[in-house]
Amino acid sequence: MALKMAYETWGEGPHPLLLLHGFTGNRSSFEHLRPLMSDKVRVISVDLPGHGQTPLPTRTGRDGFLETIEALFGVMDEVGVARTNLLGYSQGARFALAAALTRPERFGRLIMESGSPGLHRRQHRTERRVSDAQLAAMIRQKGVPAFVAYWESLPLFAGVRKLPAEQQESVRARRLECTADGLVGALECLGLAVQPDYWPELQRQRLPTLLLTGALDEKFTQIARRMAEDLPVVWRRTFEDCTHAPHLEAPEEYAREVLSFLQTPWYEAPEFESSTPDKSAAGGHG
């Protein structure tokens, strides 16, 4: 039986937008952006496998990763959306890129926040497999609450720890809804260790693409710089004083950037193939 994803829809605007959350998130991860964006977008927000109400793929490893991509198209078909824009955060950004490369005709514009095309070297893939296995063992042995405490303490999320207490608690509650089986299965089926290496594919990714990172997240900002060198039609935006999750750390600025990108008329296909913009490290789409 094919994998079916849980999802919700919101917004009444003219721009369709498929939202893909990060590891330990779910389809409510972008809910705080709803008041800022709902009059401009029509959102489909999904639970990725092992999160929320979506089960794990029926297959394991890389086959599970590819099955997840196909399930995204199943959601679009069920909602009746032939073509949409695509926004993914972290884990979700990797899937957004994978989906755009798999069936580019189903998407208009691609937004990747704190994402990666994968691991290019076999040694790095092996190291990540070991790291993910250790993380999975920790989740199994110590449970989700202990894992969440560890996860939230990582330098990657320093900016989230500066949010108001109520907002931090909302993020924590969402993470605590995860199950050990779901998180472990997600690491095994959706993680970087099993994801195909999409670095060589970037040059054929012709969709207009916006890369978003936090300026204090040096690793993913550097990855975005490297991606921008290969992507044919690309813009980058770094958010000052943000780490790995600008959508949480600077929501109003983030929403303005996303809407500016979606609303700029120039981006409409197929015209984008006839001219290539200057690549910039700053924002500004008009």
Side-chain angles (χ1 to χ4, degrees):
M1 184 175 178
L3 173 66
K4 289 183 68 69
M5 287 186 177
Y7 64 89
E8 66 179 12
T9 61
W10 53 264
E12 300 178 352
H15 302 288
L17 184 62
L18 178 59
L19 297 178
L20 307 179
H21 62 79
F23 186 63
T24 73
N26 60 37
R27 64 181 185 265
S28 70
S29 293
F30 299 95
E31 184 70 21
H32 64 291
L33 298 177
R34 192 166 178 168
L36 303 172
M37 298 175 61
S38 61
D39 62 333
K40 299 293 191 302
V41 296
R42 298 191 315 278
V43 160
I44 307 168
S45 188
V46 305
D47 286 337
L48 289 171
H51 299 77
Q53 296 178 319
T54 296
L56 292 168
T58 61
R59 294 170 285 177
T60 58
R62 181 168 297 193
D63 288 341
F65 187 95
L66 299 176
E67 182 181 354
T68 300
I69 297 172
E70 289 303 313
L72 289 176
F73 299 122
V75 170
M76 292 173 61
D77 293 341
E78 185 172 336
V79 176
V81 174
R83 194 164 181 259
T84 183
N85 303 299
L86 188 55
L87 187 159
Y89 161 63
S90 197
Q91 171 187 258
R94 295 189 284 108
F95 276 99
L97 176 62
L101 286 165
T102 302
R103 296 190 192 173
E105 73 279 2
R106 306 264 344 229
F107 303 105
R109 311 173 193 190
L110 170 65
I111 304 170
M112 296 179 63
E113 177 190 356
S114 304
S116 164
L119 299 174
H120 194 51
R121 296 183 178 180
R122 181 177 301 178
Q123 177 185 349
H124 294 163
R125 192 178 299 277
T126 300
E127 292 171 352
R128 182 59 181 246
R129 189 175 293 111
V130 171
S131 174
D132 283 353
Q134 292 172 342
L135 197 58
M138 174 190 175
I139 296 170
R140 290 280 195 211
Q141 295 167 7
K142 297 187 177 181
V144 172
F147 163 73
V148 168
Y150 160 77
W151 193 249
E152 291 181 336
S153 72
L154 295 176
L156 206 62
F157 303 113
V160 177
R161 293 195 295 273
K162 296 179 182 178
L163 296 175
E166 182 178 354
Q167 192 172 357
Q168 289 190 58
E169 185 55 38
S170 176
V171 174
R172 182 174 300 113
R174 186 183 300 119
R175 288 171 169 159
L176 289 171
E177 290 176 3
C178 296
T179 66
D181 287 343
L183 292 178
V184 170
L187 286 171
E188 296 171 346
C189 294
L190 314 182
L192 269 172
V194 300
Q195 173 185 318
D197 173 19
Y198 291 117
W199 281 104
E201 307 295 319
L202 291 181
Q203 291 185 351
R204 71 174 181 86
Q205 202 296 94
R206 305 293 299 177
L207 299 180
T209 301
L210 176 63
L211 305 176
L212 304 175
T213 59
L216 301 180
D217 184 359
E218 296 181 3
K219 174 182 176 179
F220 281 89
T221 296
Q222 182 59 36
I223 289 173
R225 290 194 185 102
R226 289 178 56 202
M227 290 179 66
E229 293 175 358
D230 292 340
L231 287 164
V233 188
V234 63
W235 285 259
R236 281 199 307 112
R237 169 66 192 274
T238 56
F239 294 87
E240 297 301 321
D241 300 320
C242 289
T243 52
H244 193 62
H247 71 285
L248 289 170
E249 300 168 55
E252 293 184 358
E253 191 177 357
Y254 181 93
R256 284 196 299 269
E257 190 71 19
V258 168
L259 293 176
S260 173
F261 180 71
L262 295 178
Q263 291 173 328
T264 302
W266 182 88
Y267 289 98
E268 294 304 326
E271 285 79 9
F272 72 83
E273 293 185 334
S274 64
S275 61
T276 302
D278 292 332
K279 298 178 181 180
S280 171
H285 314 297

